[in-house]
Amino acid sequence: MQIKDIIFPLNLKVVTGENALDKTIETGYIGDLLSVVMGKAPEGCVWVTVQSHINIVAVATLADIGCIIVSEGFVIDDEAIQKAVEENVVLLSSEESSYAIAKKLGQLGI
């Protein structure tokens, strides 16, 4: 499945990475402790987190994460947005809880 295939069903807002929405994602990961995400998130996954600062972009880049969904309406820092643009990281946002997003991703086959 491509990132663009989850945007409408999950009612996600595209914050950055509009030109990379055709990346393939096959699995997901939910976590807020960055060191754990770095070590355990599968390559190319969709990562759901409440973290919204610049370090999420570094983690996504180091772990080769497909995209990040910032959940629960957390506002993504301007520094994070700027760095995500520079690194071509797809940042998405949602008002829903991480759990609700995970359920929907599961229903979509992720």
Side-chain angles (χ1 to χ4, degrees):
M1 176 173 293
Q2 294 179 321
I3 295 169
K4 64 184 176 186
D5 298 325
I6 67 169
I7 292 169
F8 180 75
L10 273 66
N11 194 29
L12 301 172
K13 176 184 173 194
V14 178
V15 180
T16 66
E18 296 85 356
N19 61 341
L21 299 178
D22 58 349
K23 285 185 190 176
T24 299
I25 50 172
E26 296 179 8
T27 190
Y29 191 82
I30 299 173
D32 299 317
L33 187 57
L34 301 185
S35 59
V36 174
V37 175
M38 236 182 337
K40 296 195 178 256
E43 185 177 306
C45 72
V46 51
W47 171 28
V48 183
T49 183
V50 297
Q51 299 291 345
S52 59
H53 50 76
I54 193 169
N55 292 341
I56 62 173
V57 178
V59 169
T61 302
L62 288 170
D64 198 21
I65 288 171
C67 68
I68 304 169
I69 300 174
V70 176
S71 62
E72 304 200 24
F74 280 83
V75 176
I76 302 170
D77 292 351
D78 289 338
E79 284 182 316
I81 293 169
Q82 181 178 349
K83 191 64 173 175
V85 169
E86 291 172 16
E87 298 291 334
N88 201 30
V89 170
V90 178
L91 279 179
L92 308 167
S93 65
S94 174
E95 296 294 320
E96 294 200 59
S97 71
S98 297
Y99 176 73
I101 293 167
K103 283 179 31 181
K104 289 180 180 180
L105 286 169
Q107 291 168 348
L108 292 173
I110 297 291

